[in-house]
Amino acid sequence: MSFKISRRNALKNMGLLSAASSFGAIGSLKAQQLKDKSNGLPPVKIAKVKAIATCPEGTELIMVKVETNEPGLYGYGCATFRQRSHAVVAAIDKSLNDFCAGKDVDNIEDLWQSTYQSSYWRNGPVLNNALSGLDQALWDIKGKRANMPVYQLLGGKCRFAVDCYAHASGQTTDEVVEDVKMYMEDGFRHIRIQLGGYGTTHLAGKPDFKKAGFGMHRDNFMDPVTYTKGTVEIFDKVRKECGEKIELLHDMHERLQPMDAINLLKELEQYRPFFIEDPLSPENNRYFQLLRENTSVPIAMGELFNSPHEWVEPMKNLWFDFIRIHISQIGGITPAMKVARLGEWFNVRTAWHGPGDVSPVGHAANAHIDLAVWNFGIQERKDFSEKIREIFPGTPEIKNGYMHINEAPGLGVEINEKLAAKYPLPNVQLNNWTQVRGNDGTIIRP
Ligand code: GCO
Ligand code: MG
């Protein structure tokens, strides 16, 4: 059941019905609400903060639900960090609930700041995801109370819908070309191209570490030369077969040594990439200056960032063109808006992380920001299944390469909690794709 204040009933209750007809219901309703508070009527308070975790299709999704003392008024936020899902659930249920119960739902900035430093040690992925779930739920509630979609509270629309990119991939260059052609027919203007998954691991062959019985049998092998060669090949082939107009993106996923990354970007310049993502790992942030001085390829970075110490310096030095933060990893809409505003002054555009391990609530939060900020770049999208849409009514839709949100008050996504509960989190981490090794078995940052 969602909280829908019927303006007529609310105004009738407050004896304002006649006034509403003259200067607009919402105006007087809001004025009345503000007046109520100034009259010392109790503000709306947080009654409970709880985790909702579900894993219907092999990807752990974690959300926060904030319940209030107003019957039927609640909000949802995304807290999805699939690699440590149980830790995020514990952070929400064991500490966030106690800390937030009884606080005023309206004071989002104060709640964000006080929660952020309540653990003293901060800027880590687990606590930031719990904080994000709270933050996004509070924006959802504020939108419901104002009877407006959240993008309206962020300044209104700068564009009619959110331009997205599709993920094309294949085990061979021909398969990648086929995938690109399919997405071009679906209307996408931007397409990411990968040969295989990340790192072209399927072409790397049998490494020495496996022959030596080092590491785990399921560990992946990545050979930098095979990957680099394969990446140049797919750009060459896709440009030849699909033309110059389509915008091509690629995700390096931080796996090459910095100088190899610089050399690959120089080789890709001739194919005019829209952006190359994660050319370096965050631990090598200092190399971005050298990378920037050696190539004109547009760079996207940020899905691995958790702390302002990772993005402020590179953004003010113009080392990136797109900031690709996974917004629940930094604490939600509140900090993401600050990152977007920072980017405007240094011409860094947004390209929020939007894979399958962001919940539909999180994709909606991305899209509300995308609609409202001037320096939007592009949005990564996930084509959610019917099953996911059944669990998350109001999940954003993709049409002709554009994402459209549910134009409802708040973030516009509900959760069928009963159905979500049918798919509990697994007790083990489902996938270990992060375990990537070089030929001698050295772990590679994934
Ligand atoms: C992307 C990302 C993802 C991440 C994944 C981590 O660009 O979408 O690289 O594929 O690897 O979200 O869990
Ligand atoms: Mg990526």
Side-chain angles (χ1 to χ4, degrees):
M1 191 210 20
S2 65
F3 171 79
K4 285 237 180 306
I5 187 162
S6 128
R7 280 180 288 190
R8 285 190 69 78
N9 292 344
L11 295 169
K12 208 157 73 186
N13 297 346
M14 291 185 248
L16 287 164
L17 201 52
S18 52
S21 53
S22 51
F23 48 82
I26 192 66
S28 38
L29 173 62
K30 273 181 60 184
Q32 183 56 51
Q33 279 177 326
L34 291 174
K35 192 163 159 297
D36 284 353
K37 213 182 266 185
S38 61
N39 280 352
L41 286 178
V44 175
K45 300 220 179 225
I46 293 175
K48 188 172 168 79
V49 177
K50 70 174 192 176
I52 298 177
T54 186
C55 186
E57 294 179 334
T59 299
E60 303 86 339
L61 300 173
I62 304 105
M63 289 64 63
V64 163
K65 181 177 189 179
V66 172
E67 294 169 349
T68 73
N69 63 353
E70 183 107 7
L73 178 60
Y74 58 84
Y76 291 120
C78 183
T80 297
F81 173 23
R82 70 171 304 189
Q83 287 80 356
R84 292 295 179 273
S85 51
H86 291 281
V88 176
V89 169
I92 295 161
D93 290 343
K94 300 284 181 236
S95 49
L96 216 46
N97 181 45
D98 276 350
F99 183 76
C100 297
K103 295 187 177 176
D104 185 333
V105 289
D106 278 338
N107 301 339
I108 298 178
E109 184 68 28
D110 177 63
L111 264 162
W112 194 93
Q113 297 290 352
S114 53
T115 309
Y116 170 67
Q117 52 86 330
S118 65
S119 53
Y120 187 56
W121 281 276
R122 48 192 178 267
N123 289 321
V126 172
L127 299 183
N128 274 1
N129 270 279
L131 176 53
S132 165
L134 169 73
D135 178 76
Q136 293 185 18
L138 293 172
W139 280 105
D140 191 22
I141 289 168
K142 196 173 272 292
K144 288 171 179 173
R145 280 162 60 74
N147 212 11
M148 294 181 188
V150 167
Y151 70 78
Q152 291 291 14
L153 308 179
L154 303 176
K157 283 186 177 177
C158 283
R159 51 199 58 79
F160 75 92
V162 177
D163 209 352
C164 294
Y165 67 86
H167 288 186
S169 69
Q171 301 294 297
T172 65
T173 51
D174 287 337
E175 284 179 11
V176 175
V177 167
E178 284 322 300
D179 236 21
V180 169
K181 287 179 177 171
M182 174 187 72
Y183 283 119
M184 288 173 75
E185 274 153 37
D186 286 353
F188 283 93
R189 291 152 295 283
H190 301 78
I191 299 176
R192 188 185 84 170
I193 54 175
Q194 308 286 136
L195 185 56
Y198 299 118
T200 317
T201 51
H202 69 295
L203 296 179
K206 188 169 171 74
D208 291 349
F209 77 84
K210 294 223 175 184
K211 294 171 197 159
F214 182 79
M216 299 297 281
H217 183 69
R218 61 173 185 248
D219 292 350
N220 298 309
F221 167 45
M222 179 195 157
D223 168 48
V225 176
T226 309
Y227 161 70
T228 304
K229 189 168 156 300
T231 301
V232 174
E233 275 171 15
I234 52 170
F235 269 92
D236 191 60
K237 189 144 178 112
V238 170
R239 273 289 176 236
K240 281 190 178 116
E241 309 225 359
C242 303
E244 287 305 320
K245 204 159 172 323
I246 186 73
E247 297 288 5
L248 299 177
L249 301 73
H250 176 72
D251 188 351
M252 289 177 64
H253 227 274
E254 64 175 318
R255 296 182 177 200
L256 288 184
Q257 286 297 322
M259 296 319 290
D260 296 339
I262 291 172
N263 289 326
L264 175 56
L265 262 71
K266 286 166 77 168
E267 243 191 297
L268 294 177
E269 270 178 25
Q270 61 187 310
Y271 302 112
R272 192 184 60 77
F274 178 78
F275 70 49
I276 297 295
E277 173 186 343
D278 283 25
L280 302 169
S281 73
E283 293 82 355
N284 284 322
N285 261 3
R286 287 176 302 284
Y287 267 93
F288 274 108
Q289 183 169 359
L290 193 61
L291 178 64
R292 203 48 154 186
E293 287 159 2
N294 280 278
T295 169
S296 60
V297 166
I299 295 164
M301 183 70 187
E303 71 181 55
L304 273 165
F305 290 168
N306 300 290
S307 161
H309 305 309
E310 296 174 296
W311 66 74
V312 171
E313 185 76 10
M315 287 176 76
K316 80 174 175 61
N317 291 319
L318 319 181
W319 292 344
F320 310 150
D321 300 276
F322 297 87
I323 185 72
R324 253 186 69 66
I325 282 170
H326 179 116
I327 71 170
S328 68
Q329 290 292 356
I330 66 166
I333 291 169
T334 296
M337 282 304 290
K338 295 173 184 175
V339 170
R341 299 306 189 207
L342 173 69
E344 179 173 344
W345 303 119
F346 297 99
N347 207 68
V348 176
R349 286 169 284 167
T350 63
W352 308 123
H353 191 221
D357 45 324
V358 170
S359 72
V361 180
H363 278 265
N366 282 345
H368 280 271
I369 299 174
D370 292 339
L371 286 169
V373 299
W374 173 77
N375 55 315
F376 165 74
I378 191 73
Q379 179 58 54
E380 181 175 19
R381 108 279 177 235
K382 165 74 183 169
D383 232 351
F384 286 109
S385 67
E386 280 318 307
K387 180 191 265 189
I388 293 284
R389 290 180 181 282
E390 206 188 339
I391 298 170
F392 296 90
T395 296
E397 303 271 356
I398 307 288
K399 285 178 218 127
N400 189 31
Y402 287 101
M403 187 186 292
H404 297 266
I405 54 147
N406 174 25
E407 290 274 359
L411 292 173
V413 180
E414 287 293 319
I415 301 178
N416 180 331
E417 295 177 38
K418 224 160 124 223
L419 194 51
K422 284 192 177 159
Y423 306 99
L425 290 182
N427 287 326
V428 290
Q429 181 173 325
L430 280 183
N431 69 357
N432 75 306
W433 63 264
T434 60
Q435 302 306 293
V436 183
R437 295 181 183 276
N439 191 42
D440 66 354
T442 305
I443 273 282
I444 291 175
R445 288 182 178 142

